[in-house]
Amino acid sequence: MDFEAMFKRQLDALREEGNYRVFANLARKCGAFPRAEFHGAEDRPEVTVWCSNDYLGMGQHPDVIAAMHRALDECGAGAGGTRNISGTNRYHVELEAELADLHGKPAALLFTSGYVSNWAALSTLGARLPNAVILSDALNHASMIEGIRHARCAKKIWRHNDVEDLDRKLAECPADAAKIVAFESVYSMDGDIAPIAEICDVAEKHGAMTYIDEVHAVGLYGPRGGGVAEREGLMDRITLIEGTLGKALGVSGGYIAGSEALVDFIRSFASGFIFTTSLPPAIAAGAIASIRHLKRSNAERLAQRDRVARLRARLDAIGIPHLRNPSHIVPVMVKDPVKCKVLSDILMEQHGIYVQPINYPTVPKGTERLRITPSPLHSDADIDHLVAALGALWSQCALARAVA
């Protein structure tokens, strides 16, 4: 059997569809975010990154870097094992306490990534709770879908952000079912925000637990960066809050927060936690510094909102179509996979602007886009340069403009 030919045929088909992924080889410049060096060209030109999930630039904040240096000098590189076998460091314990405090919960638990925390927590809940039924929002992230699949329990998909549909599907569940309502706060591709209070109302009506993914909201929303649930005063009504250290907090890793019994249940039964080497102590130390800074500083959040508003206004002024939403994510709609990739390539090669094309299967076919994430550190000149380049390319590629 010619396995190589099989691999090649499917890869060729992916290229023909315009959905083959090409990674941009970048070297982030410490202290110069959002600048990076592009290693895909011989002269390694500097580019401005417009699609980073380091939403607030905390990955290069002096407090974070200093904390990581201290921990590296103190503890060395790796954790040395799983949490159960020599891999629990004081920085892990301190970080879990900071995360629990951030979300107003008694306990928290660290994972190696947000993907793993979703996969491990949902699969464990669904597999071990009696007669479990997981009710998943239709646009939940792949990590949540994977966790639900591995739970091998009953599941129901409810229409995106449709509380009435959720209510109907909860009513269909058996009376003795352990019902788990799983959803996100900020949806990363469209940038829309879940009606959390209404979801909690319906879940409580049916005796269901609530599981919220706040990965695109932690650090960005709420008076201390606890996410949308904190901003709306709803953290106490959420059973389990899942988040990441790898986006607005600027480092790497994932976590859950909840009651002591719930967190201990996941700690004791989740294979994705039990059998994985724990985060390097320096990463945990950097996350602690980032969380502590954002708990007391609102400057980064306010500056980012200003940058988002300015970019949207400039795009509107020249008719570049972008999805309206109440979040920090600005999806510029191209709606063609090949043109989306071409636009991204030209922006990089000719304008020194890096925006990754977002194509199927990340988004549905026909909704291809450039997902732009302004940070507090993008200047007025950066915004003007991006908008001018998009305006020129919109004409060059004969793309439709938005009508005011």
Short mmCIF file of all heavy atoms in Angstrom, two decimals, residues 78-124:
data_model
loop_
_atom_site.label_atom_id
_atom_site.label_comp_id
_atom_site.label_asym_id
_atom_site.label_seq_id
_atom_site.Cartn_x
_atom_site.Cartn_y
_atom_site.Cartn_z
N GLY A 78 12.94 22.71 33.39
CA GLY A 78 11.70 21.95 33.44
C GLY A 78 11.21 21.69 34.85
O GLY A 78 11.92 21.90 35.84
N ALA A 79 9.96 21.18 34.93
CA ALA A 79 9.38 20.86 36.23
C ALA A 79 9.91 19.53 36.76
O ALA A 79 9.87 19.29 37.97
CB ALA A 79 7.86 20.80 36.12
N GLY A 80 10.35 18.65 35.88
CA GLY A 80 10.97 17.40 36.32
C GLY A 80 10.04 16.23 36.46
O GLY A 80 10.48 15.13 36.82
N GLY A 81 8.76 16.42 36.17
CA GLY A 81 7.85 15.29 36.27
C GLY A 81 6.40 15.71 36.22
O GLY A 81 6.09 16.88 36.05
N THR A 82 5.52 14.73 36.34
CA THR A 82 4.10 15.02 36.45
C THR A 82 3.85 15.66 37.82
O THR A 82 4.71 15.61 38.71
CB THR A 82 3.26 13.75 36.33
OG1 THR A 82 3.56 12.90 37.45
CG2 THR A 82 3.55 13.01 35.03
N ARG A 83 2.65 16.22 37.99
CA ARG A 83 2.36 16.86 39.27
C ARG A 83 2.45 15.86 40.42
O ARG A 83 2.84 16.23 41.54
CB ARG A 83 0.96 17.49 39.24
CG ARG A 83 0.85 18.73 38.37
CD ARG A 83 1.61 19.91 38.93
NE ARG A 83 1.09 20.34 40.20
CZ ARG A 83 0.09 21.21 40.34
NH1 ARG A 83 -0.50 21.73 39.27
NH2 ARG A 83 -0.32 21.58 41.55
N ASN A 84 2.12 14.60 40.15
CA ASN A 84 2.12 13.58 41.20
C ASN A 84 3.52 13.07 41.50
O ASN A 84 3.80 12.66 42.63
CB ASN A 84 1.22 12.41 40.79
CG ASN A 84 1.08 11.38 41.88
OD1 ASN A 84 0.74 11.73 43.01
ND2 ASN A 84 1.33 10.13 41.57
N ILE A 85 4.40 13.09 40.52
CA ILE A 85 5.74 12.51 40.69
C ILE A 85 6.78 13.61 40.50
O ILE A 85 7.29 13.84 39.40
CB ILE A 85 5.98 11.35 39.71
CG1 ILE A 85 4.88 10.29 39.85
CG2 ILE A 85 7.35 10.72 39.94
CD1 ILE A 85 4.98 9.16 38.85
N SER A 86 7.06 14.33 41.54
CA SER A 86 8.13 15.33 41.67
C SER A 86 7.92 16.61 40.88
O SER A 86 8.77 17.50 40.93
CB SER A 86 9.50 14.71 41.28
OG SER A 86 9.71 14.75 39.88
N GLY A 87 6.78 16.75 40.18
CA GLY A 87 6.61 17.90 39.29
C GLY A 87 5.76 19.02 39.83
O GLY A 87 5.39 19.94 39.08
N THR A 88 5.44 19.01 41.13
CA THR A 88 4.70 20.14 41.72
C THR A 88 5.69 21.09 42.37
O THR A 88 6.40 20.72 43.31
CB THR A 88 3.66 19.66 42.75
OG1 THR A 88 2.65 18.90 42.07
CG2 THR A 88 3.00 20.84 43.44
N ASN A 89 5.75 22.29 41.84
CA ASN A 89 6.66 23.32 42.31
C ASN A 89 5.85 24.40 43.03
O ASN A 89 4.66 24.56 42.76
CB ASN A 89 7.38 23.91 41.09
CG ASN A 89 8.45 24.92 41.44
OD1 ASN A 89 8.14 26.08 41.68
ND2 ASN A 89 9.70 24.48 41.47
N ARG A 90 6.48 25.13 43.91
CA ARG A 90 5.74 26.16 44.65
C ARG A 90 5.07 27.17 43.73
O ARG A 90 4.02 27.73 44.06
CB ARG A 90 6.65 26.88 45.64
CG ARG A 90 7.69 27.83 45.03
CD ARG A 90 8.46 28.53 46.14
NE ARG A 90 9.42 29.49 45.64
CZ ARG A 90 9.14 30.77 45.37
NH1 ARG A 90 7.92 31.23 45.53
NH2 ARG A 90 10.09 31.59 44.94
N TYR A 91 5.66 27.40 42.54
CA TYR A 91 5.04 28.34 41.60
C TYR A 91 3.73 27.81 41.05
O TYR A 91 2.80 28.57 40.77
CB TYR A 91 6.01 28.67 40.46
CG TYR A 91 7.18 29.51 40.89
CD1 TYR A 91 8.47 28.98 40.93
CD2 TYR A 91 7.00 30.84 41.26
CE1 TYR A 91 9.55 29.75 41.33
CE2 TYR A 91 8.08 31.62 41.66
CZ TYR A 91 9.35 31.07 41.69
OH TYR A 91 10.42 31.84 42.09
N HIS A 92 3.62 26.49 40.89
CA HIS A 92 2.35 25.91 40.46
C HIS A 92 1.27 26.16 41.51
O HIS A 92 0.13 26.52 41.19
CB HIS A 92 2.48 24.41 40.21
CG HIS A 92 3.48 24.06 39.15
ND1 HIS A 92 4.54 23.22 39.38
CD2 HIS A 92 3.57 24.45 37.86
CE1 HIS A 92 5.25 23.09 38.27
NE2 HIS A 92 4.68 23.83 37.33
N VAL A 93 1.63 25.94 42.76
CA VAL A 93 0.67 26.11 43.85
C VAL A 93 0.24 27.57 43.98
O VAL A 93 -0.95 27.88 44.14
CB VAL A 93 1.27 25.59 45.17
CG1 VAL A 93 0.31 25.80 46.34
CG2 VAL A 93 1.64 24.11 45.04
N GLU A 94 1.21 28.48 43.88
CA GLU A 94 0.90 29.91 43.95
C GLU A 94 0.01 30.34 42.79
O GLU A 94 -0.92 31.14 42.96
CB GLU A 94 2.19 30.74 43.95
CG GLU A 94 2.97 30.70 45.25
CD GLU A 94 4.21 31.59 45.20
OE1 GLU A 94 4.19 32.59 44.45
OE2 GLU A 94 5.19 31.26 45.88
N LEU A 95 0.30 29.83 41.61
CA LEU A 95 -0.48 30.20 40.43
C LEU A 95 -1.91 29.71 40.55
O LEU A 95 -2.86 30.44 40.21
CB LEU A 95 0.18 29.64 39.17
CG LEU A 95 -0.55 29.86 37.85
CD1 LEU A 95 -0.90 31.34 37.63
CD2 LEU A 95 0.30 29.34 36.68
N GLU A 96 -2.10 28.49 41.02
CA GLU A 96 -3.46 27.98 41.19
C GLU A 96 -4.24 28.82 42.19
O GLU A 96 -5.45 29.08 42.00
CB GLU A 96 -3.43 26.50 41.59
CG GLU A 96 -3.04 25.61 40.40
CD GLU A 96 -2.76 24.18 40.76
OE1 GLU A 96 -2.49 23.88 41.94
OE2 GLU A 96 -2.79 23.32 39.84
N ALA A 97 -3.57 29.30 43.23
CA ALA A 97 -4.24 30.18 44.20
C ALA A 97 -4.62 31.51 43.56
O ALA A 97 -5.71 32.05 43.80
CB ALA A 97 -3.34 30.40 45.42
N GLU A 98 -3.73 32.06 42.72
CA GLU A 98 -4.03 33.32 42.02
C GLU A 98 -5.21 33.15 41.07
O GLU A 98 -6.07 34.03 40.96
CB GLU A 98 -2.80 33.78 41.22
CG GLU A 98 -1.69 34.38 42.04
CD GLU A 98 -2.05 35.75 42.64
OE1 GLU A 98 -3.00 36.40 42.15
OE2 GLU A 98 -1.38 36.15 43.61
N LEU A 99 -5.28 32.03 40.37
CA LEU A 99 -6.36 31.78 39.43
C LEU A 99 -7.69 31.58 40.14
O LEU A 99 -8.74 32.09 39.70
CB LEU A 99 -6.04 30.56 38.56
CG LEU A 99 -4.91 30.77 37.55
CD1 LEU A 99 -4.41 29.44 37.02
CD2 LEU A 99 -5.38 31.67 36.40
N ALA A 100 -7.67 30.85 41.24
CA ALA A 100 -8.89 30.68 42.02
C ALA A 100 -9.40 32.03 42.51
O ALA A 100 -10.60 32.34 42.40
CB ALA A 100 -8.63 29.75 43.21
N ASP A 101 -8.50 32.87 43.00
CA ASP A 101 -8.87 34.21 43.45
C ASP A 101 -9.41 35.06 42.30
O ASP A 101 -10.40 35.79 42.46
CB ASP A 101 -7.67 34.89 44.10
CG ASP A 101 -7.95 36.33 44.46
OD1 ASP A 101 -8.63 36.57 45.47
OD2 ASP A 101 -7.51 37.24 43.71
N LEU A 102 -8.77 34.97 41.14
CA LEU A 102 -9.19 35.75 39.98
C LEU A 102 -10.64 35.47 39.62
O LEU A 102 -11.39 36.38 39.24
CB LEU A 102 -8.28 35.42 38.78
CG LEU A 102 -8.62 36.10 37.45
CD1 LEU A 102 -8.43 37.61 37.55
CD2 LEU A 102 -7.76 35.53 36.32
N HIS A 103 -11.05 34.23 39.74
CA HIS A 103 -12.41 33.84 39.33
C HIS A 103 -13.37 33.67 40.51
O HIS A 103 -14.51 33.22 40.30
CB HIS A 103 -12.33 32.54 38.52
CG HIS A 103 -11.65 32.71 37.21
ND1 HIS A 103 -12.18 33.47 36.18
CD2 HIS A 103 -10.46 32.25 36.74
CE1 HIS A 103 -11.36 33.45 35.14
NE2 HIS A 103 -10.30 32.72 35.46
N GLY A 104 -12.93 34.03 41.71
CA GLY A 104 -13.81 33.93 42.86
C GLY A 104 -14.23 32.52 43.18
O GLY A 104 -15.35 32.27 43.64
N LYS A 105 -13.32 31.57 42.97
CA LYS A 105 -13.61 30.15 43.22
C LYS A 105 -12.68 29.62 44.32
O LYS A 105 -11.58 30.14 44.52
CB LYS A 105 -13.42 29.33 41.95
CG LYS A 105 -14.36 29.71 40.80
CD LYS A 105 -15.80 29.40 41.13
CE LYS A 105 -16.72 29.68 39.95
NZ LYS A 105 -18.14 29.48 40.31
N PRO A 106 -13.09 28.56 45.00
CA PRO A 106 -12.22 28.00 46.05
C PRO A 106 -10.95 27.34 45.54
O PRO A 106 -9.98 27.24 46.29
CB PRO A 106 -13.13 26.96 46.73
CG PRO A 106 -14.52 27.36 46.38
CD PRO A 106 -14.44 27.95 45.01
N ALA A 107 -10.95 26.87 44.28
CA ALA A 107 -9.79 26.09 43.82
C ALA A 107 -9.60 26.25 42.31
O ALA A 107 -10.51 26.65 41.59
CB ALA A 107 -9.98 24.61 44.16
N ALA A 108 -8.39 25.93 41.86
CA ALA A 108 -8.07 25.94 40.44
C ALA A 108 -7.05 24.84 40.17
O ALA A 108 -6.38 24.36 41.09
CB ALA A 108 -7.52 27.29 40.00
N LEU A 109 -6.93 24.46 38.89
CA LEU A 109 -6.02 23.38 38.50
C LEU A 109 -5.36 23.72 37.18
O LEU A 109 -6.04 24.10 36.22
CB LEU A 109 -6.80 22.06 38.37
CG LEU A 109 -5.98 20.79 38.12
CD1 LEU A 109 -5.15 20.44 39.37
CD2 LEU A 109 -6.90 19.63 37.75
N LEU A 110 -4.04 23.57 37.13
CA LEU A 110 -3.26 23.90 35.93
C LEU A 110 -3.18 22.73 34.96
O LEU A 110 -3.11 21.56 35.37
CB LEU A 110 -1.84 24.28 36.32
CG LEU A 110 -1.63 25.64 36.97
CD1 LEU A 110 -0.19 25.75 37.45
CD2 LEU A 110 -1.96 26.77 35.99
N PHE A 111 -3.13 23.06 33.67
CA PHE A 111 -2.88 22.10 32.60
C PHE A 111 -1.82 22.68 31.68
O PHE A 111 -1.46 23.85 31.76
CB PHE A 111 -4.17 21.83 31.80
CG PHE A 111 -5.24 21.11 32.57
CD1 PHE A 111 -6.10 21.81 33.40
CD2 PHE A 111 -5.38 19.73 32.46
CE1 PHE A 111 -7.09 21.15 34.12
CE2 PHE A 111 -6.37 19.06 33.17
CZ PHE A 111 -7.22 19.77 34.00
N THR A 112 -1.32 21.85 30.77
CA THR A 112 -0.25 22.31 29.88
C THR A 112 -0.74 23.22 28.76
O THR A 112 0.05 23.91 28.14
CB THR A 112 0.48 21.10 29.26
OG1 THR A 112 -0.49 20.21 28.70
CG2 THR A 112 1.29 20.37 30.31
N SER A 113 -2.04 23.22 28.48
CA SER A 113 -2.59 24.13 27.47
C SER A 113 -4.08 24.28 27.70
O SER A 113 -4.71 23.45 28.38
CB SER A 113 -2.33 23.62 26.05
OG SER A 113 -3.17 22.51 25.75
N GLY A 114 -4.67 25.31 27.10
CA GLY A 114 -6.11 25.47 27.15
C GLY A 114 -6.82 24.34 26.43
O GLY A 114 -7.91 23.93 26.83
N TYR A 115 -6.23 23.85 25.36
CA TYR A 115 -6.81 22.72 24.63
C TYR A 115 -6.92 21.51 25.56
O TYR A 115 -7.97 20.87 25.65
CB TYR A 115 -5.94 22.38 23.41
CG TYR A 115 -6.58 21.41 22.45
CD1 TYR A 115 -7.12 21.86 21.25
CD2 TYR A 115 -6.66 20.05 22.73
CE1 TYR A 115 -7.72 20.98 20.35
CE2 TYR A 115 -7.25 19.16 21.86
CZ TYR A 115 -7.77 19.63 20.66
OH TYR A 115 -8.37 18.75 19.79
N VAL A 116 -5.84 21.23 26.28
CA VAL A 116 -5.83 20.07 27.17
C VAL A 116 -6.80 20.26 28.33
O VAL A 116 -7.48 19.31 28.74
CB VAL A 116 -4.41 19.79 27.68
CG1 VAL A 116 -4.40 18.69 28.73
CG2 VAL A 116 -3.49 19.40 26.52
N SER A 117 -6.90 21.47 28.86
CA SER A 117 -7.82 21.67 29.99
C SER A 117 -9.26 21.44 29.57
O SER A 117 -10.04 20.82 30.32
CB SER A 117 -7.64 23.06 30.61
OG SER A 117 -7.78 24.09 29.66
N ASN A 118 -9.66 21.89 28.38
CA ASN A 118 -11.01 21.61 27.88
C ASN A 118 -11.20 20.12 27.62
O ASN A 118 -12.20 19.52 28.03
CB ASN A 118 -11.27 22.39 26.59
CG ASN A 118 -11.97 23.70 26.84
OD1 ASN A 118 -12.71 23.87 27.81
ND2 ASN A 118 -11.76 24.66 25.95
N TRP A 119 -10.27 19.55 26.90
CA TRP A 119 -10.35 18.12 26.54
C TRP A 119 -10.44 17.26 27.80
O TRP A 119 -11.30 16.38 27.92
CB TRP A 119 -9.14 17.73 25.71
CG TRP A 119 -9.06 16.28 25.37
CD1 TRP A 119 -9.65 15.64 24.32
CD2 TRP A 119 -8.36 15.26 26.10
NE1 TRP A 119 -9.35 14.29 24.35
CE2 TRP A 119 -8.57 14.04 25.43
CE3 TRP A 119 -7.57 15.28 27.25
CZ2 TRP A 119 -8.02 12.84 25.87
CZ3 TRP A 119 -7.02 14.09 27.71
CH2 TRP A 119 -7.25 12.88 27.02
N ALA A 120 -9.56 17.53 28.76
CA ALA A 120 -9.49 16.68 29.96
C ALA A 120 -10.71 16.88 30.86
O ALA A 120 -11.29 15.91 31.36
CB ALA A 120 -8.21 16.99 30.73
N ALA A 121 -11.11 18.13 31.07
CA ALA A 121 -12.21 18.39 32.00
C ALA A 121 -13.53 17.87 31.45
O ALA A 121 -14.29 17.19 32.15
CB ALA A 121 -12.29 19.88 32.30
N LEU A 122 -13.84 18.18 30.20
CA LEU A 122 -15.12 17.75 29.63
C LEU A 122 -15.18 16.23 29.48
O LEU A 122 -16.22 15.62 29.75
CB LEU A 122 -15.35 18.44 28.30
CG LEU A 122 -15.86 19.88 28.39
CD1 LEU A 122 -15.77 20.58 27.05
CD2 LEU A 122 -17.29 19.93 28.92
N SER A 123 -14.09 15.63 29.04
CA SER A 123 -14.11 14.17 28.87
C SER A 123 -14.27 13.47 30.21
O SER A 123 -14.97 12.45 30.32
CB SER A 123 -12.85 13.68 28.15
OG SER A 123 -11.69 13.94 28.91
N THR A 124 -13.65 14.00 31.25
CA THR A 124 -13.76 13.39 32.58
C THR A 124 -15.16 13.56 33.15
O THR A 124 -15.74 12.60 33.69
CB THR A 124 -12.72 14.01 33.53
OG1 THR A 124 -11.41 13.82 32.98
CG2 THR A 124 -12.78 13.37 34.90
#
